[in-house]
Amino acid sequence: MGGGPDKKGVPMKIVVDYDLCESNAICMQILPEVFEVRDDDFLYVLDESPAEELRPKVEECVNRCPKQAISIEG
Amino acid sequence: MIPPRSVTIVGASLAGLRAAETLRREGYDGSITMIGDEPHLPYDRPPLSKQILSGEWPPERSGLTSAEALADAGIELLTSKRAIGFDLATRQLEFGDGGTLVVDGLILATGARCRRLRATDHLAGVHVLRGLDDVEGLRRELDTGPSRVVVVGAGFIGAEVAATVRTAGFEVTLVEAEATPLARVLGSEIGEVCAEIHRDHGVDLRTGVGVVSVEGSRRVESVGLSDGSRVAADILVVGIGVVPNTEWLEDSGLTIDNGVVCDQTSLAAPGVVAAGDVARWPNPRFNEVMRVEHWDNAVEQGAHAARRLLVDDSAAVAFAPVPWFWSDQYDRKIQMAGRGRPGDEMHLATGSFAERRFAVLYGRAGRLVGVVGFNRPRHVMRYKSMIEDGVSFENAVSADV
Ligand SMILES: Cc1cc2nc3c(=O)[nH]c(=O)nc-3n(C[C@H](O)[C@H](O)[C@H](O)COP(=O)(O)OP(=O)(O)OC[C@H]3O[C@@H](n4cnc5c(N)ncnc54)[C@H](O)[C@@H]3O)c2cc1C
């Protein structure tokens, strides 16, 4: 679960499965600098490879997405 | 703090699984055993009344984890095993198969089950919807032809079932005892919007009437309503709420009162925590003792309860979430955050009831306490953050979102 072991120097990459995403926007509430649901009701990832110190928050987004639509590579 | 030598989790669903995963993420290295009475690996319930009932997803897609992932994390899962008793003094669990287990850390996550209509057990065609087996049973009957479906209860689950089954082309009658669906949760104005949505999709919505009889010899054939009318039914789905699974804890020494009663930190007794649909605790943010039957609460409280087991009383923190919930019906996404209720001050923050796309704010004692959105996820989350920040109702109303 979560992001797996830290790979030094390899930035994480956020992957959203848009077939699953239903724009519940819980990720936006947790990490508005990375996820944004706009008025068109679609989710936009503002930063696919955020700074490493945001990893715990990104993991929280992964866990709290009701559609399990978010995953982390790296 | 000496961490528990082992942690046992009763209830192998959302709250239990998230608790187990959190223990590992927090570095806990003792043994973790999760015990559930269902034959399945932990799975997700929201898709049951949506994508799985509609047939869009195969049942397997509701899985929350895999046997490999559990093994990798060192989480032992015992399925088809039912706890029937616990004694706090001896810390012994008792199981339906005759076994016993003395536990150290204990997480109670036995969730809730559906209320049923009295005296319908002998009739085929009568369903509730809580688990994978329920949805498979219901789908099998829908697949074999009978076409007139009666849904009792227009709460969220009943409304979702009605929406899914109606969208699949079946004749649906939705019976609701209240004059307006969801009025007690959302207020009657928004409840009326829900009613119109069902009617526009061709659901025969009967409000202000209760079920007084269910007729049939071997299968359900019709349902009698309190206004004297009778509705033909090939399938009856009962969605009249849930009750927490606490009977097995009645004589445990724990306090049971519409759930396992916990303190603010999710602790029910030393070394015993509860989470998810089964837990009742005082949420200091709203100054209210609550039991919350929402997906996000099971995730959050599961994690919180796990962390609670790993810290001293002095380091324990209160569980003070802003509850949040969603429901998908037809092409509407209904979301609710906080504790708004009828009688609160209400303010339409964006959109309109006519277009069925809006966000409504709820204020009480000068504070923003709730928000309800129809197809307004961005607004709901922005206002949810404001509830967390303790923003005044006045400032929320004038905020630019
Ligand atoms: C059809 C459906 C649709 C839903 N849709 C939404 C939605 O759209 N949005 C939302 O926010 N929420 C939704 N929910 C609610 C959400 O799924 C629940 O809040 C969540 O499942 C609660 O998780 P839990 O782990 O606390 O309890 P549960 O999921 O109820 O799990 C408890 C587990 O413990 C087991 N158990 C019970 N007693 C014992 C025992 N004595 N011994 C061993 N095991 C036992 C049960 O069999 C079960 O597996 C929905 C629920 C259902 C049923």
Side-chain angles (χ1 to χ4, degrees):
Chain A
M1 284 266 98
D6 276 358
K7 294 183 194 114
K8 291 255 155 32
V10 183
M12 77 178 118
K13 183 162 184 280
I14 295 174
V15 180
V16 173
D17 183 337
Y18 286 98
D19 288 339
L20 290 176
C21 172
E22 286 185 352
S23 301
N24 273 296
I26 198 92
C27 53
M28 180 188 84
Q29 204 222 346
I30 298 166
L31 212 45
E33 57 270 52
V34 173
F35 299 100
E36 181 177 330
V37 173
R38 297 195 186 142
D39 254 350
D40 60 8
D41 280 353
F42 286 108
L43 170 68
Y44 295 83
V45 179
L46 306 177
D47 183 358
E48 280 192 339
S49 299
E52 191 54 36
E53 61 264 26
L54 291 180
R55 186 181 287 271
K57 289 252 174 195
V58 179
E59 285 178 353
E60 191 185 341
C61 294
V62 170
N63 277 318
R64 284 180 66 191
C65 172
K67 300 294 166 178
Q68 300 182 271
I70 307 170
S71 54
I72 307 173
E73 283 176 6
Chain B
M1 164 83 189
I2 307 164
R5 272 166 285 120
S6 64
V7 176
T8 305
I9 302 169
V10 185
S13 181
L14 187 60
L17 177 67
R18 293 304 193 228
E21 291 169 349
T22 301
L23 288 170
R24 288 296 183 235
R25 199 169 303 127
E26 295 287 316
Y28 178 69
D29 61 4
S31 75
I32 301 176
T33 307
M34 191 161 59
I35 298 164
D37 62 358
E38 293 187 78
H40 313 286
L41 284 167
Y43 59 88
D44 209 20
R45 292 179 206 278
L48 301 184
S49 51
K50 309 175 181 79
Q51 296 90 340
I52 294 175
L53 181 57
S54 72
E56 193 188 324
W57 288 11
E60 315 77 85
R61 250 181 94 172
S62 63
L64 284 170
T65 186
S66 63
E68 300 78 64
L70 289 175
D72 283 351
I75 299 165
E76 184 186 17
L77 172 66
L78 305 178
T79 52
S80 302
K81 195 171 171 81
R82 189 179 180 77
I84 57 167
F86 174 62
D87 180 38
L88 185 59
T90 57
R91 299 190 89 79
Q92 179 165 288
L93 281 172
E94 199 185 323
F95 298 100
D97 59 12
T100 59
L101 179 70
V102 173
V103 300
D104 193 6
L106 179 63
I107 300 176
L108 302 169
T110 46
R113 66 173 182 284
C114 294
R115 272 205 195 97
R116 289 170 187 269
L117 281 183
R118 238 169 298 140
T120 53
D121 285 352
H122 62 292
L123 287 178
V126 181
H127 300 264
V128 294
L129 188 49
R130 182 74 194 176
L132 262 180
D133 301 340
D134 297 330
V135 72
E136 286 183 29
L138 178 53
R139 270 210 58 85
R140 209 174 308 123
E141 289 204 339
L142 288 169
D143 284 346
T144 54
S147 59
R148 293 162 306 177
V149 180
V150 175
V151 180
V152 179
F156 288 107
I157 302 290
E160 285 192 358
V161 169
T164 303
V165 171
R166 180 65 202 142
T167 303
F170 294 89
E171 243 177 73
V172 176
T173 306
L174 179 57
V175 179
E176 168 57 45
E178 300 282 320
T180 314
L182 295 166
R184 270 188 308 189
V185 194
L186 304 176
S188 50
E189 254 181 310
I190 300 179
E192 201 46 57
V193 178
C194 297
E196 281 167 21
I197 292 174
H198 287 298
R199 290 194 169 117
D200 279 5
H201 283 87
V203 167
D204 179 3
L205 175 65
R206 313 276 185 98
T207 56
V209 287
V211 171
V212 291
S213 64
V214 179
E215 268 95 45
S217 44
R218 287 185 47 242
R219 278 197 71 85
V220 54
E221 285 161 18
S222 68
V223 177
L225 303 182
S226 56
D227 60 0
S229 62
R230 173 165 305 285
V231 185
D234 302 302
I235 293 178
L236 175 62
V237 184
V238 180
I240 53 174
V242 299
V243 286
N245 290 317
T246 54
E247 288 76 5
W248 68 284
L249 293 167
E250 252 358 294
D251 302 319
S252 61
L254 297 168
T255 307
I256 306 299
D257 177 14
N258 178 24
V260 176
V261 177
C262 305
D263 70 6
Q264 290 197 353
T265 72
S266 297
L267 195 75
V272 182
V273 291
D277 282 15
V278 81
R280 215 155 87 89
W281 87 106
N283 181 338
R285 185 186 300 278
F286 296 93
N287 208 357
E288 181 188 339
V289 180
M290 50 178 82
R291 191 172 64 73
V292 175
E293 297 161 0
H294 302 167
W295 188 94
D296 187 55
N297 189 67
V299 170
E300 284 290 278
Q301 202 170 17
H304 189 94
R307 283 186 228 109
R308 177 66 185 89
L309 273 188
L310 302 179
V311 299
D312 278 326
D313 290 355
S314 59
V317 291
F319 182 57
V322 172
W324 172 79
F325 170 87
W326 85 98
S327 174
D328 298 327
Q329 301 171 25
Y330 312 100
D331 59 352
R332 296 295 102 171
K333 175 174 291 297
I334 303 173
Q335 294 176 313
M336 243 167 57
R339 300 297 278 183
R341 58 180 184 229
D344 289 342
E345 215 174 323
M346 283 166 74
H347 170 76
L348 181 66
T350 183
S352 70
F353 293 159
E355 56 181 344
R356 295 167 188 174
R357 184 164 186 249
F358 59 84
V360 168
L361 310 183
Y362 295 72
R364 201 183 309 145
R367 256 201 338 155
L368 176 69
V369 291
V371 54
V372 170
F374 276 48
N375 287 17
R376 286 291 187 181
R378 187 170 69 83
H379 287 78
V380 170
M381 285 304 153
R382 291 258 199 271
Y383 290 114
K384 177 172 184 277
S385 296
M386 288 186 212
I387 301 171
E388 285 171 9
D389 294 342
V391 168
S392 72
F393 189 58
E394 195 185 337
N395 286 348
V397 165
S398 60
D400 187 17
V401 167

